[in-house]
Amino acid sequence: MTGAPLPEPAASPTATDAGVRSTQRAPRPRWRETLGLLARNPTAAIAAAVLVLLVLMAVFDETVAPDGPNEISVDDRLQAPSWAHPFGTDDLGRDILSRVVLGAGVSLRVGFLAVAFALVVGALVGLLAGFYGRWVDDVLMRFMDVLFAFPAVLLAIAVLAVRGPGAGNTALAIGIVYVPVFARVTRASVLGVREEVYVRASRSVGASDWRLLTRHVLPNAAPPIIVQTSISLAFAVLAEAALSFLGLGTQPPNPSWGLMLAEGRGFIDIAWWLAFFPGMAIFLTVLCFNLLGDGLRDVLDPRQRTLMAGGGR
Amino acid sequence: MRTNRLLPLAAAAALLLSACGGGESVDTGGGGGGSGGEGGTLVAAVAAQPDQLDPHQTTAYPSFQVLENVYDTLVVPNAEDLTMEPSLAESWETSEDGLTWTFTLREGVTFHDGSEFDSADVVYSYRRIIDEELQNSYRFATVTGVEAPDPRTVVLTLSQPTPNLLERIGAFKGMAILPENAAEDIDLVTEANGTGPFRLESSDASSTVLTAYEDHWGGAPSVGGVEFRYITEPAAALTALQNGEVQWTDNVPPQQIESLADDDSVELQTTPSVDYWYLSMNYARPPFDNRDVRRAISLAVDREAVAEAAWFGAAQANQTAIPEDSFFHLDYAPFERDVDQARQLLSQAGVQTPLTMGLMVTDEFPETVTAAQVIASQLEEIGVTVEIETLDFATWLDRQGQGDFDAFYLGWLGNLDPAAYYQEQHQTDGPNNYQGYSNPQVDQLLQQGAVETDEDARKQLYDQAAQIIVDDVSYLYLYNPDVVQAWAPGLQGYRIRADKAIDFATVELP
């Protein structure tokens, strides 16, 4: 069992507003219930555990890594994995384990920043579009459609071409690419919630738009957005790797998994470990975010939720 | 897509050599049936597509790889020692005062379209370069007249003695002889009409195809044609060679050199090249205008380690530009890595550490990225923080031209003459003096060297100039790499050359 690195999800949807739903369950906080359910899903729990480990590794990178990431020693180049260098050394004699550890920080930071940007901007756009409808919806969503029409990596490359390479710009580029995804998911979810009885009731007693949005609509529209966040993190890590692979993301000598993969590519015949370990790191991270996303989807789906939690209460 | 440019651009670019040629370009449409005779087609894997096929305009090495086999120059570097030998010119004479050079042209030479080669073609070609101020016009800096008294004679008149005139007009195919009015008659960017052993059949985004020119003055080539196939990824080029898809490549990953030595499916050869790689700091950006700062950085760099990292043993560290095999090599290595002394120099210069230095490199030449990382880790030890900026080559060149850099890392390829190694790069306001170096003493020595006709005296002058350049760290010289090429076992008649000219005229397929 483990704590999932969830963004603080929607608080209890209804309990605080009197009379909205008379059938309301006992006030066990919803996020705790969610965690409990998640813990019963072994795949998602393991994925979450691995991700927590990764985050810890990224936070304490300097302590965890055996060597500095950029300590070059040409004499020790291309050494196969051994006790001294569990993942071997690269073409400049740098310890690959250290670089994978430090690369985690780069990859995750870019991933989280990108998704945070996409989440905030996209959810806001989707919320407004879904809630107000009419011309607001048209204007915002058509603009999102334009962004969405570009192939993702191409759009990111275009952004980087304008702003120049580097980790910060990479995060921004990936973030922009995922804004329309969040906007669409949020809007669809909001459309479903907007006409619910509790929303109409709240409006009828004079609640402001702001209160409606923050207290009723957003919390109840949140589950798909949370799932999308987890899945997008997977894509963001992958996109960072792809952009760095193409030389547009993280710049050498700083370690990034994608960049290490690109550098290791030329050595695959004679030193497989250069590309293998960063490749594994990307694979594991992306897989875990995806599994966690799947787990969350199951847990947060109201019907599944009833099914799973049902007997227990 | 990457187009490997000739780093040196204008100046040094003494590239390829080749034979003669003639003839019109070929329509690129048709079925591409080789017009060649007995032999089959040699397929050569090269790293990139030619940017264009006008020999007077291009600076790209991939273009010269092709043009080497299509065009000729009056004289050509000998494969053995790179001294100039007759090509389209059979012989030449120099006047007493060294100001008039008379060339006697070869007879019976035809262009690929069948027209006769004569002195008017030479005058046309040289005037085109001079009058239109094309890429290589600097090579004619001392030429005041190009005349053709008769069809077999060309006379060049000079403003001052120019001992390296033959190198200037023959070092590479940038000085190719085109048929008269070629620029009006055909589109030189996509078509060709040379006197070389091969004629251009077609050129597209995947390959350039040449067919043997049977009437070549030096005799028809042994193969029926050559296909230059672009394979960007070195590992893929090597695999293609091992599979027999291609018979020749120069796109060999340096890290594989060692393992290929025992590989029977590949014939690998290396030879020291005439190229050099260097780091250059911007004199307009303090504190890099301070000689002590530059010397400190030079002291902190371990050239052996950089060469080893970038070339896996296939490069020789060097503190001057000219490689060991050259007559003009100077054995001068004042910088022995010394971190303490370097730190001391920095503090003497009143520099606050950590000092940040941007280092501009380009993924066009991956070795610059590798070398920069090694240099960064070495300079870290003296408190200089190197920020590596990896740029595409167009941006890189643009920023170099604008002087928008702290430091950059690049190489010059294909130089043959000491003037080409030093003059344009280190003379005050020289066309390739992007760092902004200016030393009157060096200017004077370079000036004297340019007109000195006695070889030994000339070497003395350039030796002195080179010492000052190295001491002042106008360039921080690092190494001379090897030429590395590989071909199918049994391929005969091909010669690997220090100037990286690729001449397939005499090659025979296994």
Side-chain angles (χ1 to χ4, degrees), chain B residues 147-465:
Chain B
E147 272 115 42
D150 70 63
R152 281 198 61 204
T153 309
V154 171
V155 178
L156 296 184
T157 45
L158 309 175
S159 59
Q160 62 181 40
T162 309
N164 58 340
L165 183 73
L166 293 180
E167 184 267 341
R168 298 261 112 171
I169 63 170
F172 73 123
K173 291 299 172 285
M175 309 301 283
I177 305 302
L178 312 176
E180 199 174 356
N181 294 325
E184 286 75 43
D185 295 343
I186 60 174
D187 178 7
L188 286 167
V189 172
T190 56
E191 302 172 304
N193 184 13
T195 54
F198 294 93
R199 65 163 87 200
L200 177 69
E201 178 83 24
S202 65
S203 184
D204 57 35
S206 62
S207 67
T208 297
V209 178
L210 308 181
T211 53
Y213 181 53
E214 301 297 330
D215 297 329
H216 178 235
W217 57 268
S222 316
V223 291
V226 178
E227 178 187 346
F228 290 90
R229 197 175 289 171
Y230 325 131
I231 304 181
T232 312
E233 203 62 55
L238 192 58
T239 307
L241 179 64
Q242 285 165 329
N243 293 343
E245 273 172 65
V246 307
Q247 288 88 46
W248 183 96
T249 187
D250 63 346
N251 198 3
V252 181
Q255 62 268 24
Q256 305 262 53
I257 294 173
E258 211 171 300
S259 62
L260 287 176
D262 320 318
D263 187 337
D264 291 338
S265 66
V266 170
E267 170 86 28
L268 179 97
Q269 280 197 20
T270 65
T271 188
S273 73
V274 295
D275 308 345
Y276 68 90
W277 293 76
Y278 64 96
L279 182 148
S280 172
M281 287 169 264
N282 192 346
Y283 281 56
R285 291 252 176 107
F288 306 109
D289 57 340
N290 186 321
R291 184 169 182 268
D292 284 342
V293 173
R294 295 193 307 273
R295 287 179 64 86
I297 287 170
S298 187
L299 269 172
V301 172
D302 178 353
R303 291 162 178 77
E304 303 280 348
V306 178
E308 178 62 29
W311 280 90
F312 288 78
Q316 288 73 45
N318 191 355
Q319 301 202 6
T320 67
I322 304 180
E324 233 171 68
D325 289 352
S326 165
F327 168 76
F328 288 101
H329 172 70
L330 166 67
D331 188 11
Y332 183 61
F335 296 108
E336 178 81 33
R337 183 162 203 252
D338 187 336
V339 173
D340 293 333
Q341 204 191 331
R343 283 172 179 278
Q344 209 180 329
L345 271 176
L346 274 187
S347 64
Q348 258 172 39
V351 170
Q352 295 269 343
T353 52
L355 166 68
T356 302
M357 176 172 91
L359 179 56
M360 209 165 62
V361 297
T362 172
D363 48 15
E364 182 96 5
F365 303 101
E367 71 180 285
T368 63
V369 184
T370 307
Q373 297 182 54
V374 181
I375 291 171
S377 84
Q378 292 169 354
L379 294 189
E380 194 68 54
E381 291 179 47
I382 61 161
V384 176
T385 306
V386 176
E387 278 176 5
I388 299 172
E389 303 167 84
T390 314
L391 306 172
D392 64 278
F393 199 41
T395 311
W396 192 101
L397 286 172
D398 189 49
R399 286 185 50 184
Q400 182 198 40
Q402 312 230 339
D404 181 16
F405 60 89
D406 290 345
F408 65 77
Y409 189 88
L410 203 65
W412 285 95
L413 316 185
N415 299 286
L416 301 183
D417 188 80
Y421 278 101
Y422 293 119
Q423 185 142 334
E424 279 82 16
Q425 293 85 350
H426 302 290
Q427 186 178 267
T428 304
D429 296 327
N432 296 308
N433 185 351
Y434 298 103
Q435 68 275 28
Y437 178 59
S438 175
N439 184 329
Q441 212 185 336
V442 169
D443 288 349
Q444 202 192 346
L445 287 164
L446 291 175
Q447 200 52 46
Q448 290 169 349
V451 298
E452 176 58 61
T453 48
D454 179 80
E455 282 275 277
D456 291 318
R458 198 157 177 252
K459 178 173 182 340
Q460 292 267 311
L461 289 165
Y462 281 111
D463 283 355
Q464 289 177 44

Side-chain angles (χ1 to χ4, degrees), chain A residues 219-238:
Chain A
N220 285 289
I225 305 173
I226 295 167
V227 174
Q228 185 61 46
T229 303
S230 178
I231 291 171
S232 293
L233 278 167
F235 283 116
V237 168
L238 204 55

Side-chain angles (χ1 to χ4, degrees), chain B residues 56 122-147 156-157 169 175:
Chain B
H56 295 167
V122 178
V123 174
Y124 168 78
S125 301
Y126 286 179
R127 290 251 63 109
R128 178 171 185 247
I129 295 172
I130 297 168
D131 296 344
E132 297 180 26
E133 294 178 9
L134 300 182
Q135 202 62 53
N136 298 310
S137 55
Y138 73 92
R139 292 183 157 264
F140 287 122
T142 60
V143 173
T144 52
V146 185
E147 272 115 42
L156 296 184
T157 45
I169 63 170
M175 309 301 283

Side-chain angles (χ1 to χ4, degrees), chain A residues 36-285:
Chain A
L37 288 173
L38 203 58
R40 280 193 247 158
N41 177 341
T43 324
I46 292 171
V50 172
L51 289 172
V52 168
L53 272 180
L54 268 177
V55 171
L56 286 177
M57 190 170 94
V59 171
F60 297 104
D61 51 6
E62 302 278 347
T63 330
V64 177
D67 288 322
N70 299 328
E71 277 173 27
I72 286 174
S73 163
V74 177
D75 291 340
D76 299 328
R77 62 165 38 174
L78 299 180
Q79 286 185 8
S82 64
W83 284 115
H85 301 285
F87 287 5
T89 61
D90 71 4
D91 58 316
L92 297 178
R94 297 174 293 200
D95 180 55
I96 293 180
L97 173 60
S98 303
R99 286 176 67 75
V100 168
V101 168
L102 282 125
V106 175
S107 294
L108 293 179
R109 199 172 307 130
V110 171
F112 282 126
L113 277 175
V115 172
F117 177 84
L119 175 67
V120 170
V121 178
L124 190 66
V125 168
L127 202 57
L128 296 176
F131 187 72
Y132 290 105
R134 298 168 181 270
W135 66 267
V136 178
D137 189 22
D138 281 339
V139 170
L140 289 175
M141 292 318 287
R142 289 305 78 73
F143 179 63
M144 289 297 119
D145 288 347
V146 170
L147 275 186
F148 205 61
F150 289 101
V153 172
L154 193 66
L155 180 58
I157 289 174
V159 172
L160 285 172
V162 173
R163 302 201 33 109
N169 287 340
T170 308
L172 180 67
I174 299 171
I176 291 175
V177 168
Y178 287 107
V179 164
V181 177
F182 279 96
R184 285 188 170 192
V185 168
T186 309
R187 174 177 173 273
S189 187
V190 168
L191 284 181
V193 172
R194 163 175 93 167
E195 300 303 328
E196 288 284 344
V197 182
Y198 53 86
V199 177
R200 301 224 299 269
S202 184
R203 175 176 284 144
S204 69
V205 299
S208 65
D209 281 359
W210 175 249
R211 185 175 171 82
L212 283 176
L213 278 171
T214 51
R215 300 308 297 254
H216 300 299
V217 177
L218 188 56
N220 285 289
I225 305 173
I226 295 167
V227 174
Q228 185 61 46
T229 303
S230 178
I231 291 171
S232 293
L233 278 167
F235 283 116
V237 168
L238 204 55
E240 192 277 334
L243 292 170
S244 294
F245 185 89
L246 294 174
L248 295 165
T250 310
Q251 294 296 295
N254 294 328
S256 141
W257 294 337
L259 187 62
M260 292 171 72
L261 206 55
E263 290 171 343
R265 176 186 48 161
F267 296 86
I268 205 122
D269 289 355
I270 53 174
W272 53 270
W273 53 92
L274 261 66
F276 177 80
F277 291 108
M280 279 305 285
I282 296 171
F283 164 73
L284 262 183
T285 311

